[in-house]
Amino acid sequence: MSGPTIPGAATAAFTEAYGTEPAGLWAAPGRVNLIGEHTDYNDGFVLPFALPQRTVAAVGPAPDGRWSVCSTLAPDPVTFGVTEPGEVTGWGAYVAGVVWALRDAGFEVPPVRIALASDVPLGSGLSSSAALESAVLTALIDLGGLDVPLERRPALAQRAENVYVGAPTGILDQSASIRCRKDRALFLDCRSYRIEQIPFDLAAEGLAILVINSNAPHQHVDGEYGERRKSCEAAAAALGVPALRDVSTAELDGALRRLDDDVLRRRARHIVTENQRVLDTVSLLRSGRVREIGPLLTASHASMRDDFEITVDQVDVAVQSALEAGAYGARMTGGGFGGCVLALIDADRAEATAAAVASAYQKRGFTAPTSWVAVAGPGAARL
Ligand code: ADP
Ligand code: MG
């Protein structure tokens, strides 16, 4: 790849917009979720790891006492003072939301100027929004000398997105961007927020995760997401439990008999079985049996396709062709209706697997996919 690095691009954007050098650079990664889809808002389990792709914020003090932000994607700075949700709209809302969430929690937020650059693909389910929020949040905490322990940070970034931006997402994305570590997957209990760093050094096993961006156009994502959340809540209410997390696989058959709606039954079955697949994946990784997680990944995909109904042809074809090319397992990752697929493969099969998927796409006339090997990287930090 040629052209400036992401930190270089953020610094250049800062200098161009504000005519001075930044005080520092902060980076936060995008993420993929290895397994555990739509389980976060059901108080369940997820297992993301951080991508090498990240968002970098070049940040410096603001002499006018306000906040300004620009991006390589939107070079004209957006400037705002103290605001309430709804006042800053568009992409600037993600930054205004972080300032608001910190202030609302009682912190004195330093006024700063920010320039952003990123190589996290936007809107592909790799969480460019959380990468942006987490980079900005970490910069504000460091520059302001704010006493915000790591374990509180994801919920602050999540509030920015839920309340200020108005996107009803779970805690997964921000937790991953802030708390992931190199060569580890982050096992997160979305009820207690307890985390455990799980060994995930695939190269040592001769394995790799190939991420395949389907490049499929996202359609109806927000509406479908809201509809899935409602179904899960309705199923939990009908079963008399606080969340679907509280139904075990042993109780599943009995629970399904008590639901009289076939759609609710299938939605609930996905969540209950998916939580168990996360637990099983964690056990296998803990004991170094990495290849054996493959069938769990593939079963997760089938559950998302048949029971939760959140896949599209492009991701189903990517999973199928990766498996035919010899992957140990493959599944869509992210909220669904497009986005990315991940495949567990032998490290020397990356090019062949990517080529097999590309050729299947070409045969069907789909927009070409983009594929790369993802190595688990570090969470948000000052550079
Ligand atoms: P995802 O998080 O899956 O990438 P979202 O729709 O949640 O998709 O977030 C994407 C939005 O985040 C973009 O439409 C834009 O508003 C904002 N965003 C993310 N990264 C940047 C960036 N580098 N510069 C400007 N806006 C960004
Ligand atoms: Mg997002």
Side-chain angles (χ1 to χ4, degrees):
M1 213 170 83
S2 61
T5 62
I6 300 303
T11 304
F14 190 97
T15 314
E16 175 74 22
Y18 308 119
T20 175
E21 293 290 314
L25 298 174
W26 283 261
R31 59 98 191 99
V32 281
N33 193 21
L34 185 59
I35 194 160
E37 223 62 73
H38 287 257
T39 44
D40 61 345
Y41 57 81
N42 287 290
D43 280 4
F45 307 109
V46 294
L47 190 61
F49 65 92
L51 288 172
Q53 286 95 335
R54 57 195 181 163
T55 296
V56 174
V59 188
D64 64 354
R66 288 153 62 83
W67 291 271
S68 291
V69 58
C70 67
S71 161
T72 51
L73 304 173
D76 285 337
V78 176
T79 296
F80 53 90
V82 171
T83 64
E84 289 300 320
E87 287 181 47
V88 177
T89 56
W91 73 275
Y94 291 89
V95 178
V98 171
V99 172
W100 169 82
L102 275 169
R103 284 182 53 85
D104 198 56
F107 295 103
E108 193 79 42
V109 183
V112 293
R113 301 194 287 204
I114 304 171
L116 300 167
S118 183
D119 59 355
V120 184
L122 266 59
S124 295
L126 301 174
S127 215
S128 70
S129 60
L132 184 166
E133 292 149 11
S134 304
V136 169
L137 180 80
T138 309
L140 291 172
I141 288 171
D142 287 356
L143 281 173
L146 309 182
D147 182 19
V148 190
L150 215 49
E151 54 273 20
R152 265 193 82 183
R153 296 180 188 188
L156 287 168
Q158 185 198 13
R159 272 201 95 209
E161 184 145 349
N162 288 174
V163 183
Y164 205 111
V165 177
T169 58
I171 192 77
L172 162 63
D173 300 350
Q174 293 83 3
S175 297
S177 190
I178 290 169
R179 306 210 66 185
C180 278
R181 296 212 188 131
K182 189 172 166 351
D183 296 331
R184 297 284 183 275
L186 182 81
F187 176 36
L188 170 67
D189 179 334
C190 298
R191 171 169 280 165
S192 66
Y193 293 176
R194 202 184 78 82
I195 65 161
E196 185 183 334
Q197 302 286 349
I198 305 296
F200 195 57
D201 181 2
L202 295 179
E205 302 283 330
L207 295 170
I209 291 281
L210 185 72
V211 177
I212 304 149
N213 188 341
S214 72
N215 292 325
H218 271 77
Q219 279 174 337
H220 317 301
V221 183
D222 294 345
E224 296 282 358
Y225 182 90
E227 192 273 325
R228 294 305 179 284
R229 274 187 89 131
K230 276 204 197 99
S231 298
C232 291
E233 284 158 17
L239 295 170
V241 291
L244 288 176
R245 148 73 176 275
D246 299 296
V247 181
S248 70
T249 44
E251 295 160 342
L252 181 59
D253 284 344
L256 294 180
R257 279 195 294 273
R258 281 157 52 214
L259 293 173
D260 54 14
D261 179 90
D262 183 53
V263 171
L264 288 198
R265 266 198 296 272
R266 285 185 291 122
R267 303 299 188 249
R269 185 165 57 197
H270 167 72
I271 299 299
V272 173
T273 57
E274 185 78 350
N275 274 327
Q276 188 59 45
R277 282 186 288 270
V278 178
L279 297 176
D280 293 345
T281 301
V282 167
S283 313
L284 288 169
L285 291 178
R286 278 200 199 109
S287 41
R289 291 157 62 189
V290 186
R291 270 180 191 77
E292 292 172 54
I293 73 171
L296 293 167
L297 303 180
T298 306
S300 167
H301 187 78
S303 179
M304 291 190 285
R305 183 191 59 213
D306 303 334
D307 276 350
F308 222 59
E309 297 181 285
I310 54 173
T311 70
V312 294
D313 283 351
Q314 282 91 333
V315 300
D316 292 338
V317 167
V319 165
Q320 194 53 41
S321 40
L323 291 173
E324 283 164 10
Y328 295 101
R331 64 182 288 275
M332 182 186 77
T333 180
F337 306 100
C340 294
V341 161
L342 54 79
L344 179 68
I345 57 171
D346 283 321
D348 60 6
R349 293 284 300 161
E351 264 174 48
T353 311
V357 176
S359 137
Y361 270 46
Q362 198 175 23
K363 274 197 200 109
R364 284 164 203 258
F366 296 159
T367 304
T370 321
S371 304
W372 68 91
V373 169
V375 178
R382 186 171 188 161
L383 295 181

